[in-house]
Amino acid sequence: MTDVCPPYAPFFGFAGVAASMVFSTVGAAFGTAKSGIGITGLGQFKPELIMKASNSLIPVVMSGIIAVYGLVVSVLIAGKIQPGGYSLFAGFIHLAAGLACGFTGMAAGYAIGIVGDSCVRAYVYESKVFVTMILILIFAEVLGLYGLIVALILDTLTNGVECYGLRQQTFKKEQQDRRGDESSKCARSLPLSFFNERRGLRLRSRERERESDRLEDDDRDEREEERELLESELDEREVRDLDEDPLLESESESEELELLEDELDVEGEL
């Protein structure tokens, strides 16, 4: 995940879905309730005119259409939200689209409710007000349509917007799959002798490695034997040198001379 596609990016998309649906529904509910209050209030004063005022149900119908605008935008935004591959740019666009459709729908519903309530009451006394009421309701309804158009235009800006890292991973995976397919095709097309030859080459290389390891071990053993022989020869030479020390020879010679002098003295006395 990068700074362009953080893990919290879908939050803004879902916020746009909620804003579009909730605010447009609030406007539609207000318009329906306000117009319905006018129709039922008319029936309290003149019940015989209820059927005559059936044409006044037009504000109720037009208020319900505003909720459809919010539903369309919410479905479009929700269909493009996906985990892992949703960019922050797309999240902001979808939030703006949801707010645009939701608030314009709420404003249109408020206008339809006020106009519908007043015109329904006036229609009972003057039927000519019907055409004026329809025109006013149309222009009030267009406010919500403007928000729908802007939301659809904003939604088209997210077409082709993807996370760079996710697109790279998908491209690498496709390349790996393609290479795997090509290698499997090549493997199926090669004859059996090729694989036998490669196996023989691997076996011969392993035998060479084992032979080289064995020769190295033999050389190591020979060097160790030579070293031991040299050490034994040096020890013998040291012992021989100690045995042939000149000080020891001079002492032995002096002892022999003393013995000879003693013998001569004894012969002279005799």
Side-chain angles (χ1 to χ4, degrees):
M1 303 297 282
T2 60
D3 294 336
V4 180
C5 300
Y8 56 85
F11 168 79
F12 297 100
F14 288 118
V17 172
S20 175
M21 196 69 238
V22 170
F23 291 124
S24 62
T25 306
V26 168
F30 180 83
T32 302
K34 192 70 174 174
S35 301
I37 289 172
I39 295 172
T40 54
L42 175 64
Q44 290 179 357
F45 294 101
K46 294 183 179 181
E48 67 276 4
L49 298 177
I50 290 294
M51 295 305 297
K52 186 178 178 180
S54 59
N55 293 330
S56 301
L57 291 174
I58 293 176
V60 177
V61 176
M62 297 182 76
S63 298
I65 295 173
I66 294 174
V68 177
Y69 296 162
L71 177 64
V72 170
V73 175
S74 297
V75 171
L76 289 176
I77 295 173
K80 293 187 177 180
I81 298 174
Q82 54 183 353
Y86 191 74
S87 65
L88 195 61
F89 175 74
F92 288 149
I93 286 180
H94 288 158
L95 177 62
L99 291 175
C101 183
F103 279 113
T104 54
M106 186 169 62
Y110 184 81
I112 290 173
I114 298 296
V115 172
D117 184 21
S118 301
C119 291
V120 163
R121 298 176 188 275
Y123 176 73
V124 177
Y125 301 100
E126 183 59 53
S127 60
K128 293 180 181 180
V129 79
F130 179 75
V131 178
T132 305
M133 179 185 70
I134 295 299
L135 290 175
I136 295 172
L137 291 175
I138 288 173
F139 283 106
E141 180 79 16
V142 167
L143 298 177
L145 186 62
Y146 293 159
L148 175 65
I149 293 171
V150 172
L152 293 177
I153 293 172
L154 288 173
D155 184 67
T156 56
L157 297 177
T158 60
N159 294 333
V161 177
E162 295 180 357
C163 293
Y164 180 70
L166 181 65
R167 186 167 61 251
Q168 265 196 340
Q169 291 176 2
T170 308
F171 180 70
K172 288 181 180 178
K173 187 176 180 182
E174 290 177 355
Q175 279 190 335
Q176 290 175 358
D177 294 340
R178 193 180 299 111
R179 289 174 184 172
D181 295 338
E182 290 176 356
S183 62
S184 62
K185 289 179 182 177
C186 292
R188 286 195 297 270
S189 62
L190 291 174
L192 185 61
S193 60
F194 176 78
F195 294 101
N196 292 333
E197 185 178 355
R198 290 191 64 183
R199 184 178 179 184
L201 289 173
R202 286 197 297 270
L203 291 174
R204 283 194 291 273
S205 64
R206 289 176 185 174
E207 289 177 358
R208 291 194 194 96
E209 291 177 357
R210 291 174 184 173
E211 185 67 21
S212 63
D213 294 338
R214 187 177 61 78
L215 291 175
E216 288 179 358
D217 294 337
D218 294 341
D219 292 338
R220 194 181 300 109
D221 294 337
E222 290 178 359
R223 286 195 296 271
E224 289 179 357
E225 290 177 358
E226 290 177 358
R227 190 182 298 108
E228 290 176 356
L229 289 173
L230 289 173
E231 289 177 355
S232 62
E233 288 179 0
L234 289 173
D235 294 338
E236 290 177 358
R237 287 181 183 178
E238 289 178 357
V239 171
R240 192 180 301 113
D241 293 337
L242 290 174
D243 293 339
E244 296 177 357
D245 194 355
L247 293 174
L248 295 174
E249 291 180 355
S250 61
E251 288 178 357
S252 61
E253 289 177 357
S254 62
E255 287 178 356
E256 289 178 355
L257 289 174
E258 288 179 357
L259 289 172
L260 290 173
E261 287 178 358
D262 292 337
E263 290 178 356
L264 290 174
D265 291 337
V266 171
E267 289 178 354
E269 289 177 357
L270 292 174

